């Protein structure tokens, strides 16, 4: 039963629709003014949600499904000096709570990207980050040299989870001095902001993160996929044409979350977190732990609109929490755990 006091209040509200509307409008417009923008070094992003490299093509393939102008930005497929046809099929294999891929870094090559993709991408108002890889220092430098002459990029993301063929195939990202070498070569070649995407396959990610920062990285992206494999014991064959591949998706989230935390403690540069993000809670976990922005990868395979969906959900969370900035959410975790 309602109390007479409550009845009175409800009646008053009914009699005061104008006042109520003013209050609601005030709430809505304040939430609308919530500032989702983030700064990653010199790059200002509209919001902290980007689509991840290799899972969003060159962006254009998604433009009829996702409003690219709404995203914080996206990272292109990895670009190499020459076009690469990629690995034999099968290239993807679903695993419990994740996915294996062995695409073999298939791409059109940096020159075709500049000639055919970038002119169309320039029509969108979003941060386009070019993911760059190679098998020797000179490859990285050459890809960046070609991109430097082109307009329309917000920065570069260096994929250092690649074997250095001149050092017996040891991954650039697996050793602080190799990482520093490739980052400093790229730094000299690049005028644009340089993000370095770390490999998760390391003993101490803090050491690699620090080496990359000291060599000139403006931000660190943590992390790439985890080397893994799946076989069919009936046939005795691997489930992937390339035999081994990279594990991604929700299965890797807790492991990567720790890597982001460790990297965050080791450097001053901003850290961009990714690995297994599917829900807005995943986004908030990464932001709370200190990531300045996040990337959405495998989730775009199941739902090509995942990044835009997560952005809407994030806006709603802030609205409901009456928070005006992302820091209000982040500070809570850091205060508890720093
Ligand atoms: C099919 C596929 C292709 C990928 N290609 C690249 C790539 O070209 N360069 C790169 O740095 N990372 C690449 N990645 C790694 C993702 O960007 C991301 O780091 C990883 O999948 C973890 O995030 P997720 O769990 O949200 O997918 C690829 C991942 C997948 C699934």
């Amino acid at each position: 039963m309602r109390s007479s006091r409550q009845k009175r209040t409800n009646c008053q509200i009914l009699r005061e629709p104008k006042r109520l509307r003013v209050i609601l409008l005030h709430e809505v417009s304040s939430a609308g003014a919530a500032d989702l923008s983030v700064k990653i070094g010199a790059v200002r992003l509209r919001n902290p949600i980007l689509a991840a490299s290799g899972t969003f093509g060159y962006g254009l393939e998604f433009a009829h499904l996702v409003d690219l102008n709404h995203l914080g930005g996206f990272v292109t497929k990895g670009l190499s000096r020459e076009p690469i046809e990629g690995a034999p099929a099968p290239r993807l294999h679903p695993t419990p709570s994740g996915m294996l891929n062995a695409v073999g870094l298939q791409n059109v090559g940096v020159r075709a990207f500049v000639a055919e993709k970038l002119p169309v991408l320039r029509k969108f108002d979003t941060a386009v980050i070019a993911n760059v890889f190679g098998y020797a220092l000179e490859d990285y430098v050459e890809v960046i040299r070609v991109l430097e002459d082109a307009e329309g990029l917000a920065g570069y993301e260096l994929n250092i989870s690649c074997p250095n063929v001149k050092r017996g195939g040891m991954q650039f990202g697996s050793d602080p001095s190799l990482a520093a070498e490739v980052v400093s070569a790229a730094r000299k070649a690049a005028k644009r902001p340089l993000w370095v995407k770390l490999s998760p396959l390391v003993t101490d990610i803090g050491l690699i993160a620090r080496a990359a920062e000291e060599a000139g990285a403006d931000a660190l992206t943590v992390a790439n996929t985890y080397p893994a494999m799946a076989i069919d014991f009936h046939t005795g064959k691997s489930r992937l044409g390339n035999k081994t591949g990279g594990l991604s998706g929700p299965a890797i989230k807790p492991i990567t979350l720790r890597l982001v935390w460790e990297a965050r403690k080791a450097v001053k540069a901003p850290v961009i977190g990714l690995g297994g993000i599917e829900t807005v809670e995943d986004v908030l976990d990464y932001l709370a732990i200190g990531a300045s922005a996040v990337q959405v990868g495998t989730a775009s395979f199941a739902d090509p609109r995942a990044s835009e969906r997560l952005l809407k959900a994030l806006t709603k969370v802030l609205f409901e929490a009456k928070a005006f900035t992302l820091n209000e959410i982040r500070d809570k975790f850091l205060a508890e755990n720093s």
Side-chain angles (χ1 to χ4, degrees), residues 41-180:
V43 185
R44 180 167 280 284
L45 303 176
R46 181 174 291 126
N47 61 68
I49 299 191
L50 300 111
S53 179
T55 63
F56 206 69
Y58 301 101
L60 301 171
E61 299 88 335
F62 285 73
H64 65 293
L65 294 168
V66 178
D67 189 342
L68 299 183
N69 303 321
H70 284 173
L71 299 183
F74 72 89
V75 187
T76 68
K77 243 176 199 283
L79 298 168
S80 52
R81 214 167 159 162
E82 303 300 333
I84 292 183
E85 275 188 18
R91 290 174 161 193
L92 301 179
H93 179 70
T95 58
S97 211
M99 184 175 90
L100 281 178
N101 92 83
V103 172
L105 294 168
Q106 177 188 4
N107 77 104
V108 294
V110 66
R111 286 182 184 79
F113 171 76
V114 167
E116 293 157 24
K117 314 286 181 190
L118 208 46
V120 193
L121 283 173
R122 279 198 281 268
K123 294 182 186 138
F124 295 96
D125 179 19
T126 194
V128 182
I129 310 291
N131 183 284
V132 172
F133 74 94
Y135 299 102
L137 289 187
E138 303 78 50
D139 295 342
Y140 285 90
V141 170
E142 177 62 9
V143 174
I144 291 176
R145 199 193 59 71
V146 175
L147 293 171
E148 280 286 289
D149 291 338
E151 271 174 43
L153 291 170
Y156 307 120
E157 182 181 77
L158 229 55
N159 173 5
I160 60 170
S161 303
C162 294
N164 181 346
V165 289
K166 294 196 175 157
R167 294 284 179 92
M170 192 170 172
Q171 261 194 25
F172 287 100
S174 66
D175 172 83
S177 62
L178 281 186

Side-chain angles (χ1 to χ4, degrees), residues 11 17 34 56-57 79 92 108 132 154 181 239 252 259 282 288 331:
C11 288
F56 206 69
L79 298 168
L92 301 179
V108 294
V132 172
E181 219 180 328
R239 302 274 188 186
I252 70 170
L259 294 180
D282 297 327
D331 289 350

Side-chain angles (χ1 to χ4, degrees), residues 9 11-21:
T9 321
C11 288
Q12 269 171 353
I13 288 173
L14 284 173
R15 268 189 251 114
E16 294 183 73
K18 245 188 184 166
R19 200 169 149 252
L20 189 62
R21 249 185 52 213

